Amino acid sequence: MIFYRLSSFHHSTPSFPLLLVFASELILSFLWLLGQAYLWRPCTRKTFPERLMLREKTAEQLPGIDVFVCTADPEKEPPLEVMNTVLSAMAMDYPTEKLSVYVSDDGGCALTLYAMREAREFGRYWLPFCRRFGIKTRCPKLYFSRYDDDFAGRGYEEEKENIKLKYKLLEEHVKKAESSGEILRGINSKNHPPHVEVIQDESDNSTGSNVEKMPRLVYICREKTASAPHHFKAGALNVVLRVSSMISNAPYVLVLDCDMRCNDPSSAKQAMCFHLDPNISPNLAFVQFPQMFHNLSNMDIYDGKLRSVFSVKWPGMDGLQGPMLSGTGFYIKRKALYGDIVREDTDFTLLKQYLGPSNELVKSLNSSNNNNNTDITSRLLEETRLLASCKYENESQWGKQVGFLYNSVIEDYLTGFTLHSKGWKSIFYNPPRAAFLGTATTKLNDTLLQGARWNSGALQVTFSRLCPLVYRLTSRMSVLQRMCYVYLSFQPLYFFPIWCLATVPQLCLLHAIPLYPKASSLWFMVFSYIFTMSQLKHAEEVLSTGDPIRTWWDEQRIWTMKAIISYTIGTMNVVLKCFGLKEANFVPTNKVADDEQTMFYQKGLFNFQASTIVLVPLVTLITLNIFCFIAGTVRTIIDGSFDAMFGQVFISFYVLSVHYPLIDGMVFRKDKGRVPTSVTISSVAISVSVLYFGSLIHMS
C-alpha cells in the first residue's frame, strides 16, 4: 500500500487530499504495528487460595492490607453507593485485624462522613451474617437485589429478613439526612481544612468473646484551597498513602473507585497467592484484576465491558512484564510506591527531602510491624492532619518520584509505566467469579466524555519528559512492553485518520477525484485485502473471547465515535494546555442513572440526549456522508466512472452502515432519546457550508 502511494507520487504531483489520505494510512499502520505487541505472548493464570492458607499456617501470618476507596462528588457519586463499596471491602474474607478501610472524600462532604458512621453500625450485623452463611455477594445493595442463596442453613431466611430491614433503615437514615439539607450546609469542595477521623465506638476497645471485631474504618478529607494544586485522584491517593502509614501501615494496598464493589470476598487471598510467592514476590509491584460491571446489558452498545482491554490487551501484557495499572481493582505493594530511595541504609535527612517534613512518616517506612493497635492518640491524629495538608508536599518528591505520579490526569498509566521502567513486574488475574463489580456508563454523552478525559491524560504523557517512546530507553523494560505503553499514549492520534477518512474520500467522490486504485486493478486487491483481513481479525478476536458476532459491529461503531469525539477533544485539551489556554481538569464520571436512561441502554437504543460538543460533529459527518454518497454514486453511474470511484463509494457506504443508529435517531425515532431537531438543522447547515467551500476549492 505504501509502495503504491509512493510510486504514484513519483509519476505525478500528489494533490492535497491524496497527501491527507496517505498521512492517515501511515498513522494507522504505525498504530497497528504497535498494537501487535499485545498479541505476542498472551497469558492466563489460576490461583489456589486454600494452598496459601496451608503454607501460611494461620491467618495471623497473612500480611495486612489497607483498602483505599476514593470519592470526590456526592452528587455524581452518592454516599449511599460509596457505603456499599465500603461495606463490601470490610466484609472481605480476610483476617479482621489485618484489614483497614480508608475513604478519601475529596468533596469534603459531611454526608459522606455521616453515612460512614451509619454504615459501620450496619456492618456490625452485616459482616457476621456474611461469614456465618458463606455469602459471596457482600455488597448489600447487590445482594438484596438478587440474593445469594447458595446456602440454605438453619436460621438463614429469618436472619436475612432481619438484615434486610436493617439495611433499609441505613438507607432511610442517609436519605433523610440528605433531604434535610442541614448536614450539607456550608460545604465547599474546593476549599476546606484537613479532617481525619477513625470511625469507632466504645465496643472497639472491648475484649469480650461476644464482641464482633470490625476492620478499622477511617475517613480522610484532605485540605483544599483554591491557590494550591490538588493533583486530582493521584493527590488524594498520596494523602491516603501517607495517613495510612501512620495508622495501619499495611505492606499491601487495595485501591478501589467508589463504585467498584468487592464481588468475590476471596480476592485478597487470590492476590496474596502471587504477592507471597517467593519466586515472583521480590519484583512484583501489583496484581491487577479486570474492571467488570453489574449493570451491563446483553446489547452493550457503548462497549462498557471494555472487552478489548481486559480480554486481549491486558492478558497480552501479562505474558511480557505485566499489565498497566487500571485505576481501580489492584493490590499494590506499598514499598513499590515509595521508590528506590526507601532503604534501611538511606540517610534520614535525605528521606525527609523526598517524603516531606514528618519525622513519624519517615520512621514508619522501616517499621516491621503493621500498626494493629486501636489506640489512636490525639497526637497521632494531629500528625495525620499535617500529612493531609496542602503545603506538606512542598519541597518534596511526592508525585514526582514517590507515590502516584502527577504529570497526567490518568495517574494509573503513568505510575504503572514508571514502575515497569524501574524493573518491577505486575500480574493480571481474571478469576472465574468477578473480583470487583462497578457501574458502567449507560449514556453516550458520559461514555465519550469519559474517553476524552482518559485520552487527554494519555497524550499529556506523550508530550512530557516521561514519553514512553524515549523515556529510560536503557531501562530493563522489554521492547514489546514499551510498544504496549507507546500504543496507549499515542492512541489519541487516531482522531486524524478517522476524521480524514470520514470526509476527504467523500468530498473527492462528489467531485470525481479518485484516491484509490480502480476496482479492476490488482492494486485494489491490496487495499481490499487489508480492510477485509482487519475486519476478520477483529471478528475472530470477539468470538474467541466468548462474545456474539453482534459485538464486532457494535465495537466498530463506538470505536469510530470515540475517535471522532473522545480522541479529538482529548487532543485539543492537551494542545490548549500546552499553549496555556486551558488548565487540566478531572470531572468524575456520573454514577447516577435515571430509569429512562437505563431503559434506552437495556433495549440497545442510543440515548442522544448529549451535549452539543458531542452530537454536532457526529451528526455533521453523517449528514455530509449522506449527501456525498447519494450525489457521488449517481454521478459515477452517469459518467461511467464507477470503476475508478468504487473505493470511495464503499467507504462512504461503510460509514453510513456502521452509524445507522445516528440516522435512525435523526430521521425515524420520536422518543426522548432521538437526536434533537436543533442539532440536525445545525449539522445540515455545517455540512452544506463544507460542501460549498469544497466546491470553491475544487474550482480554483
Side-chain angles (χ1 to χ4, degrees):
M1 180 179 69
I2 295 175
F3 176 78
Y4 169 79
R5 292 297 188 198
L6 293 176
S7 61
S8 64
F9 293 166
H10 177 72
H11 292 97
S12 61
T13 302
S15 62
F16 182 64
L18 201 57
L19 287 174
L20 287 176
V21 170
F22 182 47
S24 301
E25 292 166 350
L26 288 177
I27 293 174
L28 290 174
S29 300
F30 172 67
L31 291 171
W32 172 85
L33 181 63
L34 292 174
Q36 299 312 295
Y38 294 107
L39 309 177
W40 196 258
R41 194 191 294 172
C43 178
T44 57
R45 301 180 185 271
K46 185 175 178 63
T47 62
F48 301 91
E50 66 278 4
R51 298 181 185 176
L52 174 71
M53 299 307 298
L54 289 174
R55 189 176 67 197
E56 298 301 319
K57 307 298 184 188
T58 63
E60 286 70 23
Q61 292 179 317
L62 289 171
I65 297 176
D66 288 342
V67 184
F68 297 172
V69 179
C70 298
T71 182
D73 187 335
E75 293 185 1
K76 294 184 177 180
E77 301 166 342
L80 192 58
E81 299 298 319
V82 179
M83 291 311 107
N84 272 278
T85 300
V86 169
L87 286 163
S88 70
M90 294 175 67
M92 284 198 298
D93 183 16
Y94 206 73
T96 301
E97 66 277 5
K98 299 285 186 175
L99 198 61
S100 298
V101 180
Y102 296 81
V103 176
S104 170
D105 179 18
D106 242 17
C109 179
L111 180 61
T112 302
L113 178 57
Y114 173 80
M116 284 182 65
R117 293 169 179 155
E118 291 291 319
R120 192 180 187 285
E121 184 60 31
F122 170 73
R124 290 202 170 279
Y125 306 96
W126 174 246
L127 270 62
F129 171 73
C130 291
R131 292 166 185 161
R132 186 178 307 128
F133 297 109
I135 303 300
K136 292 181 180 179
T137 303
R138 299 197 177 183
C139 166
K141 182 178 180 179
L142 293 183
Y143 170 76
F144 290 122
S145 66
R146 63 193 187 195
Y147 289 130
D148 192 352
D149 282 334
D150 291 342
F151 184 92
R154 178 181 296 180
Y156 171 68
E157 291 294 336
E158 181 182 354
E159 189 156 354
K160 180 179 69 176
E161 293 304 315
N162 289 335
I163 294 293
K164 186 175 182 180
L165 290 175
K166 292 183 184 299
Y167 179 70
K168 288 188 176 296
L169 192 62
L170 165 67
E171 287 184 320
E172 290 173 5
H173 286 176
V174 175
K175 289 178 180 178
K176 183 178 179 181
E178 183 178 12
S179 60
S180 68
E182 289 293 325
I183 202 166
L184 298 174
R185 190 167 296 170
I187 289 178
N188 187 337
S189 61
K190 296 182 179 180
N191 192 349
H192 51 250
H195 181 72
V196 179
E197 181 176 330
V198 180
I199 312 296
Q200 58 185 0
D201 54 36
E202 294 78 7
S203 61
D204 290 309
N205 297 320
S206 303
T207 57
S209 58
N210 295 328
V211 176
E212 183 70 31
K213 294 296 182 182
M214 299 274 287
R216 183 184 286 109
L217 182 60
V218 183
Y219 172 85
I220 301 174
C221 173
R222 59 174 170 152
E223 181 184 18
K224 274 191 177 181
T225 62
S227 59
H230 55 85
H231 303 295
F232 313 113
K233 183 181 176 181
L237 285 172
N238 283 339
V239 168
V240 185
L241 188 64
R242 294 194 294 269
V243 171
S244 64
S245 295
M246 295 290 95
I247 298 175
S248 52
N249 198 28
Y252 297 97
V253 169
L254 166 63
V255 176
L256 295 175
D257 283 345
C258 65
D259 66 317
M260 193 60 65
R261 292 80 181 261
C262 298
N263 186 61
D264 187 344
S266 66
S267 69
K269 291 179 180 177
Q270 292 170 356
M272 290 305 113
C273 286
F274 300 109
H275 274 301
L276 300 181
D277 186 338
N279 296 321
I280 60 177
S281 179
N283 297 321
L284 179 61
F286 61 90
V287 177
Q288 177 68 62
F289 288 81
Q291 294 181 29
M292 295 190 177
F293 306 95
H294 67 88
N295 61 331
L296 294 177
S297 72
N298 293 328
M299 301 178 67
D300 184 22
I301 54 176
Y302 301 131
D303 188 28
K305 68 188 297 184
L306 303 173
R307 183 203 59 82
S308 177
V309 173
F310 295 116
S311 296
V312 179
K313 291 184 172 66
W314 270 216
M317 292 187 75
D318 196 22
L320 302 173
Q321 201 174 335
M324 307 175 194
L325 275 178
S326 303
T328 182
F330 60 87
Y331 289 84
I332 190 167
K333 191 177 293 180
R334 186 184 291 265
K335 185 174 70 172
L337 291 170
Y338 282 122
D340 301 332
I341 191 66
V342 180
R343 297 187 299 269
E344 291 186 9
D345 58 345
T346 305
D347 180 70
F348 193 86
T349 305
L350 181 60
L351 284 174
K352 289 185 67 175
Q353 292 176 1
Y354 268 75
L355 302 175
S358 173
N359 292 329
E360 297 301 320
L361 176 62
V362 176
K363 290 177 183 177
S364 72
L365 299 180
N366 295 320
S367 176
S368 58
N369 65 318
N370 305 329
N371 302 323
N372 291 324
N373 58 350
T374 57
D375 184 20
I376 308 299
T377 64
S378 58
R379 180 175 173 273
L380 181 61
L381 286 177
E382 190 63 33
E383 188 73 17
T384 61
R385 294 187 186 101
L386 167 66
L387 296 171
S389 63
C390 285
K391 296 181 179 180
Y392 181 81
E393 294 183 355
N394 294 349
E395 310 293 329
S396 74
Q397 293 300 312
W398 282 98
K400 301 171 186 175
Q401 298 185 51
V402 181
F404 295 88
L405 304 190
Y406 292 160
N407 292 61
S408 170
V409 294
I410 51 170
E411 77 298 326
D412 47 358
Y413 171 91
L414 194 55
T415 304
F417 172 66
T418 54
L419 287 173
H420 283 135
S421 67
K422 292 176 182 177
W424 288 97
K425 294 184 179 180
S426 60
I427 279 175
F428 178 72
Y429 182 54
N430 189 359
R433 178 183 173 92
F436 307 100
L437 286 177
T439 304
T441 55
T442 57
K443 192 176 179 182
L444 181 65
N445 192 73
D446 294 340
T447 299
L448 296 182
L449 293 182
Q450 181 187 61
R453 185 179 76 237
W454 289 346
N455 286 279
S456 175
L459 208 57
Q460 276 182 289
V461 180
T462 303
F463 292 142
S464 72
R465 65 177 183 84
L466 297 172
C467 175
L469 193 62
V470 296
Y471 180 70
R472 287 198 175 194
L473 289 177
T474 58
S475 69
R476 288 173 284 178
M477 184 184 294
S478 68
V479 174
L480 291 175
Q481 182 81 5
R482 186 175 294 275
M483 287 172 64
C484 293
Y485 274 105
V486 173
Y487 175 86
L488 262 294
S489 67
F490 279 74
Q491 181 178 251
L493 297 183
Y494 271 123
F495 89 92
F496 180 81
I498 298 304
W499 270 97
C500 285
L501 295 177
T503 56
V504 175
Q506 290 80 348
L507 291 171
C508 290
L509 169 65
L510 192 63
H511 299 291
I513 303 174
L515 298 177
Y516 296 94
K518 293 181 179 180
S520 57
S521 167
L522 290 177
W523 278 111
F524 185 80
M525 298 296 293
V526 175
F527 285 85
S528 60
Y529 175 82
I530 292 173
F531 175 81
T532 303
M533 294 309 295
S534 67
Q535 297 299 314
L536 289 176
K537 174 59 181 173
H538 183 196
E540 181 272 332
E541 179 187 285
V542 167
L543 295 174
S544 67
T545 55
D547 289 273
I549 193 64
R550 180 186 67 245
T551 302
W552 159 73
W553 193 242
D554 290 339
E555 287 185 357
Q556 295 275 319
R557 181 188 310 112
I558 197 63
W559 181 82
T560 54
M561 286 182 172
K562 287 179 179 178
I564 293 167
I565 302 301
S566 302
Y567 299 169
T568 304
I569 295 176
T571 302
M572 290 175 62
N573 285 342
V574 173
V575 171
L576 292 174
K577 183 177 180 293
C578 289
F579 286 101
L581 300 176
K582 182 179 176 64
E583 288 294 325
N585 61 351
F586 180 92
V587 179
T589 305
N590 191 1
K591 307 298 192 305
V592 182
D594 56 47
D595 293 338
E596 185 179 60
Q597 175 180 324
T598 303
M599 180 202 59
F600 285 130
Y601 174 69
Q602 293 295 334
K603 289 183 177 181
L605 294 174
F606 276 78
N607 185 352
F608 293 114
Q609 296 177 7
S611 58
T612 303
I613 195 174
V614 167
L615 271 188
V616 170
L618 288 171
V619 178
T620 298
L621 284 179
I622 296 305
T623 306
L624 185 67
N625 272 265
I626 292 173
F627 289 158
C628 292
F629 176 72
I630 295 174
T633 302
V634 171
R635 178 171 183 164
T636 59
I637 294 173
I638 293 174
D639 62 16
S641 60
F642 191 78
D643 184 43
M645 305 302 296
F646 176 76
Q648 285 149 260
V649 172
F650 176 78
I651 290 176
S652 189
F653 175 75
Y654 172 77
V655 170
L656 294 176
S657 300
V658 169
H659 295 92
Y660 174 77
L662 266 170
I663 301 174
D664 182 40
M666 293 163 56
V667 180
F668 303 111
R669 284 175 59 180
K670 304 301 180 184
D671 53 59
K672 290 184 179 180
R674 71 187 305 274
V675 176
T677 304
S678 59
V679 171
T680 303
I681 294 173
S682 300
S683 300
V684 170
I686 295 172
S687 299
V688 171
S689 301
V690 171
L691 292 171
Y692 175 72
F693 285 113
S695 63
L696 291 180
I697 294 172
H698 175 64
M699 291 174 61
S700 61

